[in-house]
């Protein structure tokens, strides 16, 4: 039953991953080709400013989502309904406050993005995208209704469908000649229709006792929320700032449109590896949380060990493929090969390569409602990132920013999270990391060699050679996953299931 549920949720994550790739690759490629570097950089700055609305969720998303999950699991239906209404109320208020705050922040530092400023259009884009981000953020607790009923599959599909339709709306607006403000309105309209109204309708249809609504947090919720949610907020605020603030700061430092576009593109490309990690970490983190909820220590240990092994192989294999294909494919993607930078790419991809368990560790601590290590890790990450950025003797500001981000994540976040997970899962110590490093290195080398060899054997620079390299390296990753990413028990179970299917 557990394997079937994980497999179903895994399929949903594959769909979500495909949408993410469509967003980060196809949409970005369309924008930079049709708009050019200047307007694309302005759009990137506007999205980065709007993304900082998430700083002001004050940890309410994670707190109320986890509370709802545990209340439903424990059969406290009345309490669960109140938690939902209180969470919606609190998060809607926080999101509105966040939208106002980031717009005022942009107005105060209005000249920070002078190098990419499109007169008043950039300000209007910031306002519109901030409203869109706030509206989507306000729905986070309502989305948690699916997870609380162990319908993570449906939650992922609804969320990803909203993303897909938002991407289509943006591409359509750009293709029709829309400017920065017009495309921002298309973005907002898609968010309202498909990321707000759609989940409201769907949850009312399938979970009538958990319709979207508001309730004032009672004394119990206020007392519980203050300490826990603020701990979540510290770590999530730092994470959001690290995600979105660097692009804005590059503009403030006078880096110019080319440097901003290059930084954003190389970070997007390298984040494909992180997307692979998150694809599986979401599912396995939730399964681990279920084990914690019922005090299944042995089951938790097995889930964590198998999931981190699987994740390490997927991450390393994807990194190997990207390392072989990134540079030659960059020109096809953006139409501007000069924007590619090898140093930026490897710095952006370094942290998940060196610490493949970090994503799973973070997800486990979040789902287990244990934010202290996250808080310490995020604070250390931010402090180290800032220190490195302002002291590292690198003249190129984009390169210095990427190096600071990598060092802060590895030293600050990793040093806090990994020991915390060892206290929960003692078997997740040094021996596991060494084992994962060996498996990951073998997989990364295998996929890199297969992809690069296929490119060399094919017609130089042809799309057929790239497609062939992708298919062949994908097969290499599948083989490595079977032998290095799955336990012997999982392989035997898969063989048995295949045998039953074949004999039907």
């Amino acid at each position: 039953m557990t394997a079937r549920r994980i497999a179903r949720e895994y399929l949903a994550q594959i769909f979500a991953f495909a949408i993410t790739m469509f967003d980060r690759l196809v949409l970005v490629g369309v924008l930079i080709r049709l708009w050019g570097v200047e307007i694309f950089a302005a759009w990137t700055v506007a999205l980065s400013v709007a993304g900082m609305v998430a700083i002001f969720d004050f940890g309410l998303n994670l707190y109320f989502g986890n509370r709802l999950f545990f209340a439903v699991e424990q059969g406290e239906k009345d309490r669960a309904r109140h938690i939902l209404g209180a969470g919606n109320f609190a998060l809607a208020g926080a999101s509105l406050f966040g939208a106002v705050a980031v717009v005022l922040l942009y107005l105060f530092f209005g000249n920070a993005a002078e190098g990419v400023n499109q007169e008043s259009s950039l300000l209007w884009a910031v306002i519109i995208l901030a409203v869109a981000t706030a509206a989507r953020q306000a729905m986070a607790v309502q989305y948690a209704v699916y997870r609380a009923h162990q319908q993570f599959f449906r939650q992922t599909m609804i969320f990803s469908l909203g993303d897909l339709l938002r991407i289509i709306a943006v591409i359509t607006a750009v293709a029709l000649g829309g400017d920065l403000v017009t495309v921002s309105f298309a973005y907002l309209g898609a968010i309202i229709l498909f990321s707000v109204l759609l989940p409201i309708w769907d949850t009312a249809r399938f979970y009538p006792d958990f319709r979207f609504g508001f309730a004032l947090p009672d004394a119990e919720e206020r007392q519980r929320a203050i300490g826990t949610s603020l701990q979540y907020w510290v770590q999530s605020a730092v994470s959001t700032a690290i995600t979105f603030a660097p692009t804005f700061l590059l503009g403030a430092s006078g880096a110019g449109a080319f440097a901003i576009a290059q930084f954003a593109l190389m970070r997007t490309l390298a984040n494909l590896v992180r997307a692979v990690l998150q694809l599986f970490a979401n599912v396995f983190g939730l399964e681990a949380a279920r084990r914690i909820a019922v005090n299944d220590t042995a089951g938790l240990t097995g889930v964590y060990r198998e999931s981190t092994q699987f994740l390490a192989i997927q991450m390393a294999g994807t990194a190997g493929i990207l390392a072989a294909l990134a540079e030659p494919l960059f020109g096809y993607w953006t139409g501007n090969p000069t924007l590619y930078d090898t140093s930026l790419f490897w710095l952006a991809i370094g942290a998940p390569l060196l610490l493949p368990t970090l994503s799973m560790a973070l997800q486990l601590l979040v789902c287990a409602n244990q934010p202290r290590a996250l808080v310490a890790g995020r604070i250390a990450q931010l402090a180290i990132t800032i220190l490195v950025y302002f002291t590292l003797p690198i003249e190129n500001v984009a390169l210095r920013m990427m190096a600071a981000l990598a060092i802060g994540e590895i030293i600050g976040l990793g040093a806090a999270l990994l020991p915390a997970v060892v206290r929960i899962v003692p078997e997740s110590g040094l021996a596991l990391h060494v084992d994962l490093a060996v498996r990951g290195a073998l997989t990364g080398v295998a996929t890199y060699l297969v992809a690069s060899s296929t490119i060399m054997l094919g017609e130089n620079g042809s799309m057929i050679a790239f497609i062939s390299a992708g298919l062949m390296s994908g097969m290499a990753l599948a083989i490595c996953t079977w032998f290095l990413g799955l336990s012997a028990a999982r392989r035997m179970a898969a063989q048995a299931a295949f045998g039953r299917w074949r004999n039907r």
Side-chain angles (χ1 to χ4, degrees):
M1 185 66 180
T2 297
R4 187 180 300 113
R5 181 172 63 246
I6 290 178
R8 190 165 181 264
E9 293 172 352
Y10 171 66
L11 290 175
Q13 289 294 297
I14 290 177
F15 177 72
F17 180 73
I19 301 303
T20 300
M21 295 305 98
F22 191 59
D23 190 6
R24 296 182 180 180
L25 296 179
V26 176
L27 178 58
V28 169
V30 169
L31 291 179
I32 198 165
R33 282 176 175 271
L34 295 183
W35 269 348
V37 171
E38 294 289 334
I39 302 180
F40 173 76
W43 171 260
T44 301
V45 169
L47 279 179
S48 297
V49 176
M52 288 190 286
V53 169
I55 292 175
F56 300 92
D57 81 335
F58 301 111
L60 298 170
N61 173 10
L62 288 173
Y63 170 74
F64 280 104
N66 284 337
R67 285 277 293 149
L68 180 64
F69 174 81
F70 282 110
V72 172
E73 282 285 311
Q74 295 164 0
E76 300 179 6
K77 193 171 184 178
D78 290 338
R79 169 54 59 186
R81 283 197 294 264
H82 186 270
I83 289 170
L84 175 63
N88 285 336
F89 177 83
L91 196 57
S95 299
L96 177 61
F97 176 83
V100 174
V102 298
V103 171
L104 292 177
L105 175 70
Y106 178 78
L107 288 173
F108 186 78
F109 295 102
N111 294 324
E114 184 178 0
V116 293
N117 203 340
Q118 304 293 308
E119 298 178 353
S120 64
S121 63
L122 183 54
L123 171 60
W124 279 109
V126 167
I127 294 172
I128 297 165
L129 294 176
V131 172
T133 304
R136 188 178 190 182
Q137 178 174 283
M139 293 300 300
V141 181
Q142 190 67 29
Y143 271 109
V145 170
Y146 296 107
R147 178 166 73 94
H149 292 85
Q150 297 192 16
Q151 290 295 320
F152 191 62
F153 172 84
R154 189 171 190 86
Q155 174 185 342
T156 304
M157 296 301 287
I158 293 292
F159 190 87
S160 299
L161 178 62
D163 272 348
L164 175 61
L165 294 172
R166 182 256 307 165
I167 295 167
I168 292 173
V170 169
I171 290 178
T172 301
V174 174
L176 293 175
D179 59 11
L180 203 60
V181 175
T182 302
V183 175
S184 298
F185 272 119
Y187 187 105
L188 173 61
I191 290 293
I192 297 298
L193 287 175
F194 307 120
S195 294
V196 175
L197 297 180
L198 176 60
I200 288 176
W201 171 80
D202 191 66
T203 51
R205 179 185 175 195
F206 284 93
Y207 312 105
D209 291 331
F210 292 88
R211 295 174 183 272
F212 181 81
F214 299 111
L216 290 176
D218 58 21
E220 179 185 352
E221 287 304 330
R222 291 195 299 271
Q223 184 177 5
R224 286 172 175 250
I226 292 175
T228 305
S229 63
L230 288 180
Q231 291 182 76
Y232 278 131
W233 176 63
V234 172
Q235 68 89 17
S236 65
V238 173
S239 176
T240 301
I242 288 174
T243 299
F244 295 106
T247 302
F248 185 70
L249 290 176
L250 287 178
S253 67
F258 184 88
I260 292 172
Q262 186 179 57
F263 177 85
L265 289 168
M266 299 314 301
R267 204 178 186 193
T268 297
L269 188 62
N271 276 346
L272 294 179
V273 171
R274 297 179 186 273
V276 171
L277 286 171
Q278 200 61 42
L279 170 68
F280 304 110
N282 286 340
V283 174
F284 290 124
L286 289 172
E287 189 60 37
R290 293 187 184 103
R291 305 289 184 173
I292 293 173
V294 297
N295 295 316
D296 182 7
T297 304
L300 173 63
T301 299
V303 167
Y304 188 84
R305 183 176 57 249
E306 291 189 0
S307 62
T308 51
Q309 181 175 314
F310 187 76
L311 285 169
I313 298 305
Q314 302 306 310
M315 181 278 301
T318 304
I321 296 171
L322 270 179
L325 302 182
E327 185 170 3
L329 280 175
F330 197 81
Y332 284 103
W333 178 37
T334 65
N336 190 345
T338 63
L339 288 167
Y340 183 83
D341 187 277
T342 303
S343 299
L344 285 174
F345 172 77
W346 282 110
L347 283 172
I349 211 173
L353 277 176
L354 294 175
L355 292 176
T357 62
L358 189 57
S359 180
M360 182 60 190
L362 191 152
Q363 193 70 18
L364 175 61
L365 292 171
V366 167
C367 292
N369 242 1
Q370 299 189 26
R372 290 186 179 179
L374 299 176
V375 172
R378 289 301 190 188
I379 292 175
Q381 180 184 10
L382 180 61
I384 292 172
T385 299
I386 294 173
L387 177 64
V388 172
Y389 177 73
F390 285 107
T391 59
L392 200 64
I394 298 178
E395 185 176 352
N396 185 322
V397 290
L399 189 63
R400 177 155 37 96
M401 177 66 77
M402 199 74 85
L405 291 169
I407 294 170
E409 183 174 3
I410 293 168
I411 298 178
L413 191 61
L417 262 58
L418 300 182
V421 172
V422 171
R423 290 192 288 270
I424 301 173
V425 184
E427 290 80 357
S428 64
L430 181 61
L432 176 64
H433 286 278
V434 172
D435 179 65
L436 295 180
V438 173
R439 293 171 186 265
L442 291 173
T443 302
V445 170
T447 54
Y448 175 82
L449 291 176
V450 170
S452 57
S453 299
T454 306
I455 286 287
M456 291 176 61
L457 292 173
E459 184 180 347
N460 186 32
S462 71
M463 184 56 66
I464 294 177
F466 290 132
I467 294 173
S468 300
L471 292 174
M472 294 299 293
S473 57
M475 291 176 61
L477 176 56
I479 294 171
C480 290
T481 300
W482 178 259
F483 289 104
L484 299 175
L486 300 179
S487 65
R490 291 297 177 192
R491 290 197 299 270
M492 291 177 62
Q495 288 173 335
F498 177 74
R500 289 192 298 270
W501 174 81
R502 187 179 57 183
N503 293 329
R504 285 181 180 178

